[in-house]
Amino acid sequence: MDTEIYADHAATTRLREEVLEAMLLWLREGYGNASSLYKLGRTARKAVENARRTVAEILGADANEIFFTSGGTEGDNAALRGVMACAAGRHIVSTAFEHHAVLHTLEALQKTGCDVTLVQPDRSGHVSAEEICAALRPDTALISVMTANNELGTIQPIPEIGKIAREKGISFHTDAVQAAGHIPLNVRNLCVDLLTLSAHKFGGPKGVGVLYLRRGTPFIPYLTGGAQERGKRAGTENVAGIVGLARALELAAAEMEEEAARLRVLRQRLTEGVLRIPFVRENGGGDRLPGIANFSFTAIEGEYIAMMLDQAGIAVSPGSACAAGSEEPSHVLTAIGLDRAAAKGGLRISLGYGNTEADVDAILQALSPAVEKLRAMSPAWAAMRHMGML
Ligand code: PLP
């Protein structure tokens, strides 16, 4: 594998060495089924329950409010389907720039008779609590708003929305998959009933996540099967994954302040450098996660820039990895008001653990000639030149 600089931490992160170390025992010797009654099973159960306590403590939750899942997509599905399966009202309020794990689940719920209102974010990539409130109806049963957007990094006013939801007795879910490990997440302060996490976004393994479910929240699990996770999530527990998730969250929480400050400085350096390239705009602003930056490059597509950087050993992304290969522009960038061309010109650079100043300088060094080369081949750029716009 010859990627030299990895700057796509919003897509996934490298497994931390300390996490791998913690997992190895459970992959090698500790292979028991956590539901088995003999010693091998009981030891695995103990590891799962220790991990649950660690996660609960970091999130400010009770251990019996933490349910392990297979990741963010499952957590989002479980939350939305689980609440709507037993809600009296049929209306859901969410936003137009949620991850597809939420948006496509909402589409599926619409087919079962639910009614969905999607609030548009503003140009800077934020929704307001007032706009969410204005979208509520007497039959609203669920609000789902992401803690931070995965393409822009913009942080949403979750505690304010949570207070409104609580006052009105509406269940409130937040997809905190991008935010986890980067900003403090305390479920009581956030005032949420359900919250989704995924380990691979903060130095943990892929295929394991958490659903926080506040005690008393009406919920019917959509997975049917065994009685694992106190009947809320059937399926044999991924013991090594769960141990890895807890260790990764613990490390991220301990290093958060310092790492966030470091990433903010790196992103500032990156942004200043990128904006020196002519006809570039930064997408998203205001309150943001420390490592994510998003830019649109006039007259060229982000996908081609990412491909050229890949040839230089640099991994960045035109948008969400889940939408890769799609002909459509990013639904996030169009939701904040970019036209189709500008949205196709989007490029996300997400810095994270292990990135250095030298990485940022190398990205900048490769980016400028890549943009120049692509524009030299771009009919849109030629047209702009012809019209005297350059
Ligand atoms: N929600 C958000 C905001 C994400 O960024 C992602 C992953 O990109 C997901 C959900 C899905 O998580 P997972 O990859 O663990 O299924």
Side-chain angles (χ1 to χ4, degrees), residues 10-11 70-74 76 98-99 101-102 146 148-150 175-178 196-201 207-208 320-322 348:
S70 69
T73 302
E74 186 193 320
D76 287 342
E98 295 294 312
H99 189 271
V102 167
M146 66 202 323
N149 182 269
N150 50 303
D175 172 342
V177 168
Q178 279 302 329
T196 310
L197 297 187
S198 180
H200 74 99
K201 306 287 186 180
V208 61
S320 156
C322 307
R348 177 184 70 185

Side-chain angles (χ1 to χ4, degrees), residues 268-280 364 368:
Q268 181 65 22
R269 187 181 183 90
L270 174 78
T271 303
E272 282 168 11
V274 173
L275 294 180
R276 266 185 233 121
I277 299 171
F279 293 93
V280 178
L364 292 172
S368 206

Side-chain angles (χ1 to χ4, degrees), residues 163-241:
K163 277 184 203 105
I164 295 168
R166 192 78 38 101
E167 265 167 36
K168 297 192 182 286
I170 300 170
S171 294
F172 180 33
H173 165 250
T174 191
D175 172 342
V177 168
Q178 279 302 329
H182 299 290
I183 55 171
L185 291 178
N186 178 298
V187 291
R188 310 278 176 235
N189 297 344
L190 291 171
C191 215
V192 292
D193 300 308
L194 306 102
L195 174 142
T196 310
L197 297 187
S198 180
H200 74 99
K201 306 287 186 180
F202 50 84
K206 292 168 185 60
V208 61
V210 163
L211 175 67
Y212 158 77
L213 182 63
R214 190 165 82 97
R215 195 184 301 109
T217 305
F219 178 88
I220 295 179
Y222 83 107
L223 272 182
T224 47
Q228 292 91 349
E229 297 295 280
R230 282 113 49 230
K232 294 282 197 299
R233 196 280 181 176
T236 302
E237 293 90 343
N238 171 3
V239 180

